[in-house]
Amino acid sequence: MIEVRSLVKRYGDTTVLDCPDLTLDGAGVTALVGANGAGKSTLLTIAGRLLEPTSGTVLVDGHDVTTAPSRELAARVAILRQENNLAVRLTVRELVEFGRFPYSQGRLTDDDHRLVDRALDTLELHEFAARRLDELSGGQRQRAFIAAVVAQDTDHVLLDEPLNNLDLRHAAQSMAMIRRLADEFGKTVVVVLHDINVAAHHADRIVAMRSGRVVADGEPSTVIDEPTMREVFGLDVEVTEHHGRPVVLHFLAS
Amino acid sequence: MTSRIPRTIAIILAGSAMAVAGLTMQTLTRNRFVAPDTAGTLDAATLGLVLGAMYVPSAPIYLRMVIAVVFALAGTGLFLLLLQRLQFRDIVVVPLMGLMLGAVFNAASVFLAYREGLLQTLVTWISGDFSGTLRGRYELLYVVAALTILTYWFAERFTIAGIGRDFAVNLGLDHGRTVLIGMGLVASSSAVVVVVVGEIPLLGLVVPNIVTLALGDRLRRVLPVAAVAGAILLLLADIGSRTVRHPYEVPVGVVLGVVGGFAFLAIVLRSRGRVG
Ligand SMILES: Nc1ncnc2c1ncn2[C@@H]1O[C@H](COP(=O)(O)OP(=O)(O)O)[C@@H](O)[C@H]1O
Ligand SMILES: [Mg+2]
């Protein structure tokens, strides 16, 4: 369970995040959506204790992320940030193995190796396992970083725009993988998505943000309508339906 | 000469320590051109030696070692502090900043040594030299061996810290502390090397670059190779230093300066074709 409590982040006089209360409980995929600068990454990175809030806090399974020992948190919550384009000379497998560090401290057991293999399989990275990250495309590297988070095997997984750099096939595949994390492995997944339709199709719940505030929260079918989309994205769009799920025709907006 | 065995041990330990120091610094600062030479570490240690010679001239060697280590730590700490404030962590700007810092320490050393009539001594410290490696001094290098082993013990953490702060924190690592431990360990070991044999230039820059190019950035795997390569390179340089002007000896630092300089140029030219 992830509980946001009176969370505020300010830079100088500018409040970039003001989230009084938000609870994410149980297995499922929650999508964070909103325009650029809405505060999605800020919320996610604070929850992953990569950023200090100005006030308030986030609890992960009751552990306060601003005070709990980082090493303990590493076994409960995993976060992948937006920017990972570092060309470090590690193989894909080495990177994914680091996902087991919170448990193994560098000495991998058979179980660790199994989870590493599973993560490589899940992201179809086996053929690249021995390749070095600096010799991969941006999308392949992105998938390697996702695999490391999957190998970390925490109950809570926070992903900031994981589909960046991915082609259509791998984007679809990654979303299917994210669904599996929730459905098969019972994880609580929070994922920032810039494509509202991907969110509408794959998420159980959508949290829409604007100017640092949550402006809509609920199942895709309740959140996605024309007035809300106008409020969130500042765009007049037409909303239609496909297999019972809303589809936003944002590309038709004028 | 009876100085053969101590000398050989000294060369092996010093060479591996400098290579490991450079490798660790490059990993932790995520910059391939950062090493004890370019982070102000060596110059700070030398300044410590000069001040030690001025104010406690009769102090035993281990006390001077402690002073040099303290200065190396402070100098490297200052480098890290400046690095933190740097807006553009450009691959070239970072070591350039370290070189400037080192130049300031060096100027202070020269000024003080000149005033105190210690210039001759300063020259031997600056230009690594094994001819003076006698019993009672080379034993200090066992400290270096211990520090190098400790560095290896932390290798996996250093690699993770080198991938990035967010990546490390996510895995439960205290990033700031890990960087400080690593930089502290290798700054200390290179300061001890300065006390025993003087500044060994470029080794910490060249060896890690060549080794990681071939074997990647995972310290646990490359660190032992870098240590061996550093030892071998310094042994070769030492042979060179004794044969170039036989029967006289050229300081090994001078030999390395020339050979390492060319190797370094080659690396720089090669790496321009790649992304920094
Ligand atoms: N270090 C910072 N200093 C000042 N403002 C920042 C900083 N980081 C983020 N911001 C601002 O906070 C707001 C929210 O950013 P972010 O959470 O990254 O948005 P999103 O991920 O929704 O695009 C933006 O307006 C951004 O400019
Ligand atoms: Mg963002």
Side-chain angles (χ1 to χ4, degrees):
Chain A
M1 180 153 75
I2 298 175
E3 299 161 87
V4 177
R5 297 268 174 86
S6 331
L7 193 60
V8 174
K9 180 68 185 179
R10 286 195 200 95
Y11 291 104
D13 292 336
T14 321
T15 303
V16 298
L17 181 67
D18 182 358
C19 183
D21 171 48
L22 182 71
T23 301
L24 307 167
D25 196 8
V29 176
T30 301
L32 276 182
V33 302
N36 293 337
K40 308 176 297 286
S41 296
T42 306
L43 177 57
L44 208 72
T45 46
I46 291 174
R49 50 98 167 78
L50 299 181
L51 183 70
E52 290 252 346
T54 307
S55 64
T57 191
V58 178
L59 306 180
V60 176
D61 278 347
H63 295 70
D64 186 332
V65 296
T66 60
T67 56
S70 189
R71 210 173 130 178
E72 258 167 53
L73 286 171
R76 298 180 182 279
V77 58
I79 178 164
L80 180 66
R81 285 202 70 166
Q82 216 166 333
E83 309 86 11
N84 295 294
N85 274 331
L86 174 77
V88 60
R89 297 169 185 156
L90 294 171
T91 66
V92 171
R93 181 180 290 280
E94 283 174 327
L95 185 83
V96 178
E97 282 177 0
F98 282 140
R100 297 307 299 161
F101 185 80
Y103 314 92
S104 68
Q105 302 293 315
R107 276 171 295 276
L108 272 71
T109 64
D110 288 347
D111 264 355
D112 292 323
H113 283 296
R114 222 166 13 92
L115 284 163
V116 167
D117 279 326
R118 193 180 80 185
L120 289 170
D121 274 338
T122 311
L123 283 132
E124 290 192 355
L125 281 168
H126 255 305
E127 60 172 310
F128 300 112
R131 285 265 292 276
R132 265 161 44 170
L133 292 174
D134 59 327
E135 293 159 354
L136 296 180
S137 76
Q140 291 163 339
R141 204 176 306 149
Q142 174 77 355
R143 276 154 59 214
F145 276 95
I146 298 174
V149 162
V150 171
Q152 200 174 337
D153 196 30
T154 51
D155 285 347
H156 308 87
V157 179
L158 314 175
L159 303 167
D160 198 348
E161 305 210 14
L163 308 187
N164 272 1
N165 289 319
L166 298 191
D167 56 39
L168 288 178
R169 191 171 92 88
H170 286 111
Q173 200 179 65
S174 294
M175 278 319 296
M177 184 275 301
I178 286 167
R179 274 265 37 120
R180 266 181 69 201
L181 289 181
D183 299 338
E184 265 180 55
F185 306 119
K187 297 183 189 304
T188 308
V189 185
V190 185
V191 54
V192 176
L193 293 171
H194 71 261
D195 187 330
I196 184 73
N197 288 326
V198 172
H201 185 74
H202 291 97
D204 302 306
R205 177 174 168 186
I206 289 183
V207 174
M209 299 181 66
R210 181 186 173 160
S211 309
R213 292 169 188 277
V214 173
V215 293
D217 177 4
E219 285 177 20
S221 54
T222 64
V223 168
I224 295 176
D225 54 32
E226 283 154 20
T228 312
M229 291 300 100
R230 190 177 311 121
E231 190 185 354
V232 173
F233 294 104
L235 196 67
D236 284 314
V237 293
E238 200 177 314
V239 176
T240 162
E241 227 183 64
H242 176 72
H243 293 318
R245 294 259 187 175
V247 174
V248 179
L249 305 179
H250 51 74
F251 41 86
L252 297 180
S254 48
Chain B
M1 277 285 276
T2 48
S3 71
R4 260 304 151 67
I5 290 168
R7 180 178 180 136
T8 307
I9 293 175
I11 291 168
I12 290 172
L13 290 178
S16 55
M18 292 312 295
V20 167
L23 178 63
T24 306
M25 285 189 170
Q26 281 160 40
T27 303
L28 291 173
T29 60
R30 299 167 63 178
N31 189 308
R32 305 208 183 280
F33 298 145
V34 174
D37 319 51
T38 58
T41 312
L42 297 184
D43 295 305
T46 303
L47 179 59
L49 274 179
V50 171
L51 287 170
M54 275 172 60
Y55 291 108
V56 281
S58 54
I61 184 79
Y62 73 84
L63 189 63
R64 292 212 217 150
M65 175 189 87
V66 171
I67 298 173
V69 166
V70 168
F71 269 77
L73 287 174
T76 312
L78 193 58
F79 170 78
L80 286 176
L81 219 63
L82 290 172
L83 184 63
Q84 233 172 28
R85 307 197 150 234
L86 207 61
Q87 288 287 332
F88 304 100
R89 294 195 181 179
D90 184 85
I91 180 109
V92 177
V93 170
V94 170
L96 211 56
M97 187 193 72
L99 283 171
M100 298 296 178
L101 186 65
V104 173
F105 295 142
N106 192 38
S109 294
V110 171
F111 172 74
L112 292 172
Y114 183 72
R115 223 183 49 182
E116 302 292 318
L118 290 168
L119 267 185
Q120 195 64 38
T121 323
L122 180 64
V123 168
T124 62
W125 288 332
I126 288 180
S127 52
D129 189 350
F130 285 97
S131 57
T133 312
L134 298 166
R135 287 193 76 78
R137 209 142 73 114
Y138 90 95
E139 280 92 344
L140 288 183
L141 286 176
Y142 291 132
V143 175
V144 166
L147 290 170
T148 304
I149 290 168
L150 207 54
T151 307
Y152 180 71
W153 191 74
F154 280 108
E156 205 79 331
R157 279 150 216 268
F158 294 159
T159 307
I160 291 174
I163 297 175
R165 179 188 168 271
D166 294 335
F167 190 81
V169 173
N170 173 51
L171 294 176
L173 217 62
D174 184 331
H175 183 256
R177 207 174 65 185
T178 307
V179 171
L180 281 183
I181 289 173
M183 296 296 276
L185 280 175
V186 297
S188 304
S189 71
S190 33
V192 179
V193 171
V194 171
V195 174
V196 181
V197 295
E199 294 184 18
I200 297 179
L202 290 167
L203 199 75
L205 217 47
V206 172
V207 171
N209 269 294
I210 295 171
V211 174
T212 54
L213 197 64
L215 295 178
D217 288 332
R218 192 173 198 174
L219 277 197
R220 196 161 77 177
R221 189 176 54 228
V222 290
L223 193 143
V225 180
V228 170
I232 292 174
L233 192 62
L234 197 53
L235 279 168
L236 292 177
D238 182 61
I239 293 170
S241 80
R242 282 181 290 153
T243 46
V244 171
R245 269 183 70 208
H246 191 78
Y248 303 101
E249 255 187 56
V250 181
V252 72
V254 173
V255 176
L256 265 181
V258 175
V259 178
F262 280 113
F264 185 62
L265 261 181
I267 292 168
V268 173
L269 291 176
R270 240 194 94 113
S271 68
R272 279 185 51 156
R274 307 165 60 97
V275 279

